[in-house]
Amino acid sequence: MLTRSQRLVYIFGGWIFVVLALLALFDSISYEYFFVLCLIGFLVIVELSGPFTVRPAWRSRVNIVIILGVIVFSFIVVEKVLAILGI
């Protein structure tokens, strides 16, 4: 029997595989697309896997990963905006 955190890892691994397959299918593989889609999937999986009434102990460790992901996402957005503006 898998624990909740093990299920989270397996589901996220499956999500990464689906993202890579879709990016390869549409011939648009780039690290920006891959990172953003993986971050979105990770956020959805974490929100759906946790209980609504109690905050589990593992959630505080996951929040660190989420904060780092949002920081990297912000850098990607700033880079794209600067490229569009030609700065």
Side-chain angles (χ1 to χ4, degrees), residues 39-53:
L39 181 64
I40 290 170
F42 184 72
L43 293 173
V44 169
I45 291 168
V46 167
E47 281 301 315
L48 293 178
S49 67
F52 296 110
T53 56

Side-chain angles (χ1 to χ4, degrees), residues 27-28 35 44 46-49 52 57-58 70 72 74 76 87:
D27 197 30
S28 60
F35 180 79
V44 169
V46 167
E47 281 301 315
L48 293 178
S49 67
F52 296 110
W58 57 268
V70 169
V72 172
S74 301
I76 291 172
I87 297 175

Side-chain angles (χ1 to χ4, degrees), residues 59-72:
R59 181 61 191 246
S60 63
R61 294 186 299 270
V62 170
N63 283 341
I64 295 170
V65 175
I66 291 172
I67 290 170
L68 291 174
V70 169
I71 291 170
V72 172

Side-chain angles (χ1 to χ4, degrees), residues 2-76:
L2 296 175
T3 64
R4 186 176 297 261
S5 59
Q6 288 173 333
R7 253 185 285 150
L8 181 103
V9 171
Y10 285 133
I11 292 170
F12 184 62
W15 175 254
I16 289 175
F17 178 74
V18 168
V19 165
L20 282 175
L22 288 174
L23 288 176
L25 179 69
F26 293 122
D27 197 30
S28 60
I29 295 178
S30 72
Y31 72 92
E32 292 103 352
Y33 292 151
F34 177 72
F35 180 79
V36 170
L37 290 173
C38 285
L39 181 64
I40 290 170
F42 184 72
L43 293 173
V44 169
I45 291 168
V46 167
E47 281 301 315
L48 293 178
S49 67
F52 296 110
T53 56
V54 176
R55 250 187 118 95
W58 57 268
R59 181 61 191 246
S60 63
R61 294 186 299 270
V62 170
N63 283 341
I64 295 170
V65 175
I66 291 172
I67 290 170
L68 291 174
V70 169
I71 291 170
V72 172
F73 175 74
S74 301
F75 284 128
I76 291 172

Side-chain angles (χ1 to χ4, degrees), residues 72-85:
V72 172
F73 175 74
S74 301
F75 284 128
I76 291 172
V77 168
V78 168
E79 178 183 293
K80 289 293 184 181
V81 168
L82 291 176
I84 290 171
L85 294 177

